[in-house]
Amino acid sequence: MKRIGFLACETTLPGAGERRGDAFEHDLMVGALAPALRDHDLELDVIDWEAPISAFAGLEMVVLGTAWNYQDKSKTFLARLDELEARGITVCNAPDTVRWNITKSYLRELSENGAATIPTLWREIVTYKGALEAMEVFETDRIVVKRQIGAGAEGQELLVRSALPDAGWSFGHPAMLQPYLPAIASEGELSFIFIDGELSHGVRKHAAKGEYRIQSLYGGTESVHTPTAQEEQAARAIIAALPFDPPLYARIDMLRSDDQLLLMEAEMIEPYLYPVQGPLLGERLAAAIAKRVHQ
Ligand SMILES: Nc1ncnc2c1ncn2[C@@H]1O[C@H](COP(=O)(O)OP(=O)(O)O)[C@@H](O)[C@H]1O
Ligand SMILES: [Mg+2]
């Protein structure tokens, strides 16, 4: 039976010490994908992406799974993906796609290609003064400052004019600044999951009370969301704006502003794909994988 690797990391893998608070999402993904792959005569092997290279011997393909610790070692991560590819293992999504997606400046390119994105200022350094300037530019009292290389809202800060940090404050990473969009607290964030460019399902993600980050690590919850025709069109327009063919999987995260859905992120590295809200996800992903390895 051909084997497909599912890249995990030391804190998402079961049985390797203390797991992350959201490791249950790893279990849900594997639980959806493994049985669906078996129907295609494929076996799923869950592997730490940092394992010795010998652990990958004999795999046909790897999917990037729950490698949720790559942010601070992105060069090593990319080198590993290249190494796997050089050994004849298909890597999905492709290393070039990952390289493009790893720095959020891809949002700039998509916006130049006509995608509707959240207004953003790009800064190598953000000081207190720079934060105030962003509030002026966006005519708002609340801004979100994010890392240009980041995931899981790590290192992100919400700055509010009535409770500013002290004048010596600065942000420790190359940054992107955005107006805080209040829709996050009302409608929530909408995600659209695409497999090989086809919409699989939609999800609505809500933050916990008093929080604005929707990630499960911060108490966020999600529910099934059936996209309207207009929403589907907005999400498809993002896929169409990609500078390459639609990848195996993509999660398009959007937030509404003035009745328009704006792109927050187009996640093509190791997004959680919400199999609980999309019961056909496992089958669709398995079929797309089978198409690649059985051809
Ligand atoms: N402009 C914004 N307005 C309101 N909430 C935001 C904004 N940007 C980010 N957030 C919140 O922070 C979370 C993380 O931001 P995101 O851009 O998705 O980065 P990450 O790559 O870390 O997931 C989002 O899921 C959302 O809950
Ligand atoms: Mg996100």
Coordinates of all heavy atoms in Angstrom, one line a residue, residues 104 146 151-153 156 189 205 214-215 251 253 264-265 267, ligand 2:
K104 N 3.6 37.3 4.9 CA 2.3 37.7 4.6 C 2.3 38.8 3.5 O 1.2 39.3 3.1 CB 1.6 38.2 5.8 CG 1.3 37.0 6.7 CD 0.0 37.2 7.5 CE -0.3 35.9 8.2 NZ -0.7 36.1 9.6
K146 N 0.5 42.9 13.4 CA 0.9 41.5 13.3 C 2.3 41.3 12.7 O 2.8 42.2 12.0 CB -0.1 40.8 12.3 CG -1.5 41.1 12.4 CD -2.3 40.3 11.4 CE -3.6 40.9 11.2 NZ -4.5 40.1 10.3
A151 N 1.7 33.0 12.6 CA 0.5 32.1 12.5 C 0.0 32.0 13.9 O 0.7 32.3 14.9 CB 0.9 30.8 12.0
G152 N -1.3 31.6 14.0 CA -1.9 31.4 15.3 C -1.9 32.7 16.2 O -2.0 32.6 17.4
A153 N -1.9 33.8 15.5 CA -2.0 35.1 16.2 C -0.8 35.4 17.2 O -0.8 36.3 18.0 CB -3.3 35.3 17.0
Q156 N 0.9 38.9 18.1 CA 0.0 39.9 17.6 C -0.4 40.9 18.7 O -0.6 40.4 19.8 CB -1.2 39.2 17.0 CG -2.1 40.0 16.2 CD -3.1 39.2 15.5 OE1 -2.8 38.4 14.6 NE2 -4.4 39.3 15.9
E189 N -15.3 35.6 11.8 CA -14.4 35.4 10.6 C -15.0 34.2 9.8 O -15.4 33.2 10.4 CB -13.0 35.1 11.2 CG -11.9 34.8 10.1 CD -10.5 34.6 10.7 OE1 -10.2 35.2 11.7 OE2 -9.8 33.8 10.2
K205 N -16.2 31.5 12.4 CA -15.4 31.4 13.6 C -15.6 32.6 14.5 O -15.5 33.7 14.1 CB -13.9 31.3 13.2 CG -13.7 30.2 12.1 CD -12.3 29.9 11.8 CE -11.6 31.0 11.0 NZ -10.3 30.6 10.5
I214 N -9.9 34.4 17.1 CA -10.8 33.3 17.0 C -10.2 31.9 17.2 O -11.0 30.9 17.2 CB -11.6 33.3 15.6 CG1 -10.6 33.4 14.4 CG2 -12.5 34.5 15.5 CD1 -9.9 32.2 14.1
Q215 N -8.9 31.8 17.3 CA -8.2 30.5 17.4 C -8.7 29.8 18.6 O -8.9 30.4 19.7 CB -6.7 30.7 17.4 CG -6.1 31.1 16.1 CD -6.3 32.5 15.7 OE1 -6.8 33.4 16.4 NE2 -6.1 32.8 14.4
R251 N -7.1 27.6 2.5 CA -8.2 28.1 3.4 C -8.2 29.6 3.3 O -7.2 30.2 3.6 CB -8.0 27.7 4.8 CG -9.2 27.8 5.7 CD -8.9 27.6 7.2 NE -8.3 28.7 7.8 CZ -7.4 28.6 8.8 NH1 -7.2 27.5 9.4 NH2 -6.9 29.7 9.3
D253 N -9.5 33.0 4.6 CA -10.1 33.6 5.8 C -10.5 35.0 5.4 O -9.7 35.8 5.0 CB -9.1 33.6 6.9 CG -8.7 32.2 7.4 OD1 -9.4 31.2 7.1 OD2 -7.6 32.1 8.1
M264 N -8.4 38.2 4.9 CA -7.4 38.3 6.0 C -6.2 37.5 5.7 O -5.1 37.9 5.9 CB -8.2 37.9 7.3 CG -7.2 37.7 8.4 SD -7.8 38.6 9.9 CE -9.1 37.5 10.3
E265 N -6.4 36.3 5.3 CA -5.3 35.4 5.0 C -5.7 34.4 3.9 O -6.9 33.9 4.0 CB -5.0 34.5 6.2 CG -4.2 35.1 7.3 CD -3.7 34.0 8.2 OE1 -4.5 33.6 9.1 OE2 -2.6 33.6 8.0
E267 N -4.4 30.8 3.5 CA -3.6 29.9 4.2 C -3.3 28.6 3.4 O -4.2 27.9 3.1 CB -4.3 29.4 5.5 CG -4.0 30.3 6.7 CD -2.8 29.9 7.4 OE1 -2.0 29.1 6.9 OE2 -2.6 30.4 8.5
Ligands
MG2 MG -5.4 33.4 10.8

